[in-house]
Amino acid sequence: MAEIVIGVGGLGASNSKGTTIKTYALGSCVAVVLLDPQTRTVGMVHVALPDSSIRPDKVASLPGYFADTGIPALLQEMRRCGTRGPQGLIVKLAGGAQIMDQNNTFNIGKRNALAAKKILWGFGLAPVAEDLGANFSRTVTLSTDTGVMTLSTPGRPAWHL
Amino acid sequence: MAQHNRRNEILAAIGRAPMLSVGAARIIDLAARADHELDDIIDLVKNDAPLTAKLLRIVNSPAYGLLEPATSVERAVSYLGENTVVSIVLEETLGPLLNRPLDGYQSAGGDLWRHDLRVAIAAKEIALLNPRRCQPDTAFTAGLLHDIGKSVLSGFLRDEYHRIIDELMTRAIPDYTAGEREHLGIDHAEVGFTLAENWQLPEIIRMVIRHHHEPALAPEETRALVYTVHLGDILAMMGGYGTGTDNLFYRLDQSYVDWLNFGPGQIGPVMLTVEEKFTETLQVMQLR
């Protein structure tokens, strides 16, 4: 069984049978997952920050680092695997954890999730499922065979989305 | 009573922890001084033949691509920089503590070291924004050592972490350190502080270890540095580099704004810089 590991700011898509796409320890980062039921293609981008305007020079080498450049780049990667366009894609989101911060000063996780949703709306997409926020990091595993997302965090049983 | 017994057991375990090597103690002592210079580090390295050999091996590795091989300590330390030298020394001497799996936190071998390194880099970046408040290289060294208590406490948390997580999920306790105190009678900050006392680490480093989750309780003269590591710790956890079950179950002390210049607009750029420097440092460390 092949495994594609997505690092921070990385992205990938596949429609090969028996493949899993995995990203480790999403703290405030958000995993945007796209599934195409027509071509059985699945893809994931590990977004770390909402907006590329803080470091445009980073976009060429790591477009997935930012929500505004990562989602278009993932859609492009999905197209390489045979997906025709954004219409009909299923979207799931996970991550966006936060520290215990009453004033939300450090709530990059929430901002990542909001930025991801805004960019997705621009393509006519909205998540059908999400597991966002709270105070724990998440490791996400995505199966090309089933499209099921499995989430885990240290010390608790895994769960599905 | 059981909790009291666990505390005594844990204090006894701290007494059995390995001692710090003389070389490591000296370099921490030096790095904690606000007025130290790179020449002081060079002098210290010169007196340590195995460390000299190691630094020369790293700096002469193909990754550095030097046209002429470096043959002097001066050149090696200048290329690597103080922080990398301190990281190499600490990982060498504290490797058995920092690299072992933390079963009580359900984290793998090396996770604590990577978290510490991430905190060190983040704390230095925040200190660089506050040069009058905080010495950046001291922030780096303090960041490397801030969670040393977890290496000892982990063994006592194996049967307790499930209960702590349940209590956090139902908001029965305010944060993870409260869970450690409730179930074991001591938290990782106090364990680390006691270990640091045994090792006779400088006062400023001991205060960071003791108060990094409650910076407002630190003595005033150390508080800016403690807040710096407090924020560095939070940025590391947000970046996905925590140490397991404690996850992001810690509170941000909002009073950092009274001590540091670090606005919301600076969080993203600093996180990105930390990511880049962390990757670079790990690559250098792997050359050893």
Side-chain angles (χ1 to χ4, degrees), chain A residues 28 55 58 100-101 137, chain B residues 238 247-248 250 252 254 276:
Chain A
S28 59
R55 277 281 300 278
K58 193 78 182 169
M100 294 168 155
D101 170 15
S137 70
Chain B
M238 285 168 57
N247 265 301
L248 290 93
Y250 295 104
L252 169 71
Q254 298 284 348
E276 291 169 336

Side-chain angles (χ1 to χ4, degrees), chain B residues 39-54:
Chain B
D39 283 350
D40 301 322
I41 301 280
I42 290 169
D43 287 343
L44 209 143
V45 173
K46 274 182 180 168
N47 290 320
D48 187 332
L51 179 59
T52 298
K54 190 170 297 160

Side-chain angles (χ1 to χ4, degrees), chain A residues 135-154:
Chain A
N135 308 113
F136 49 84
S137 70
R138 297 159 173 90
T139 289
V140 177
T141 309
L142 178 63
S143 161
T144 54
D145 292 351
T146 62
V148 170
M149 265 171 88
T150 304
L151 292 92
S152 63
T153 191

Side-chain angles (χ1 to χ4, degrees), chain B residues 120-221:
Chain B
I121 294 168
K124 181 175 178 178
E125 289 303 310
I126 296 164
L128 285 167
L129 297 170
N130 296 272
R132 291 184 182 176
R133 293 275 193 161
C134 200
Q135 214 279 344
D137 291 325
T138 308
F140 184 91
T141 304
L144 279 182
L145 290 162
H146 78 287
D147 259 351
I148 190 72
K150 285 182 180 172
S151 62
V152 175
L153 199 64
S154 170
F156 297 88
L157 275 171
R158 284 191 195 105
D159 300 326
E160 307 294 343
Y161 71 81
H162 281 296
R163 281 187 274 275
I164 296 177
I165 293 171
D166 287 346
E167 289 167 9
L168 283 162
M169 298 304 276
T170 57
R171 299 183 185 275
I173 51 173
D175 68 5
Y176 208 88
T177 53
E180 291 173 343
R181 287 193 298 274
E182 184 181 305
H183 290 274
L184 299 175
I186 192 166
D187 62 30
H188 71 267
E190 189 182 349
V191 171
F193 170 72
T194 310
L195 192 57
E197 276 192 322
N198 290 356
W199 288 346
Q200 298 180 306
L201 294 186
E203 166 86 2
I204 195 163
I205 303 285
R206 295 205 303 266
M207 289 302 114
V208 169
I209 295 171
R210 179 72 187 92
H211 298 295
H212 68 275
H213 290 300
E214 295 173 311
L217 300 180
E220 196 170 329
E221 66 277 13

Side-chain angles (χ1 to χ4, degrees), chain A residues 7-9 24-29 46 48-50 54-58 61-62 65-66 97-109 111-112 134-138 153-157, chain B residues 105-107 118 161-162 165 168-169 171 173-176 231 234-235 237-241 243-254 256 262-265 267-269 271-273 275-276:
Chain A
V8 180
Y24 289 95
L26 293 160
S28 59
C29 299
H46 182 139
L49 291 173
I54 64 162
R55 277 281 300 278
D57 62 298
K58 193 78 182 169
S61 60
L62 209 56
Y65 204 87
F66 309 100
Q98 61 180 53
I99 202 76
M100 294 168 155
D101 170 15
Q102 286 175 337
N103 292 1
N104 284 328
T105 318
F106 275 58
N107 203 343
I108 294 282
R111 278 184 263 164
N112 280 335
N135 308 113
F136 49 84
S137 70
R138 297 159 173 90
T153 191
R156 291 177 61 194
Chain B
Y105 292 90
Q106 293 286 289
S107 73
R118 191 97 176 184
Y161 71 81
H162 281 296
I165 293 171
L168 283 162
M169 298 304 276
R171 299 183 185 275
I173 51 173
D175 68 5
Y176 208 88
L231 296 186
I234 286 170
L235 291 189
M237 291 185 271
M238 285 168 57
Y241 285 85
T243 56
T245 52
D246 55 342
N247 265 301
L248 290 93
F249 290 117
Y250 295 104
R251 284 171 295 164
L252 169 71
D253 181 339
Q254 298 284 348
Y256 76 87
F262 191 62
I267 299 171
M271 285 183 80
L272 182 47
T273 304
E275 185 78 47
E276 291 169 336

Side-chain angles (χ1 to χ4, degrees), chain B residues 27 30 36-45 77 82 85:
Chain B
I27 208 159
L30 192 59
H36 76 275
E37 293 183 0
L38 196 60
D39 283 350
D40 301 322
I41 301 280
I42 290 169
D43 287 343
L44 209 143
V45 173
V77 173
E82 174 183 325
V85 173

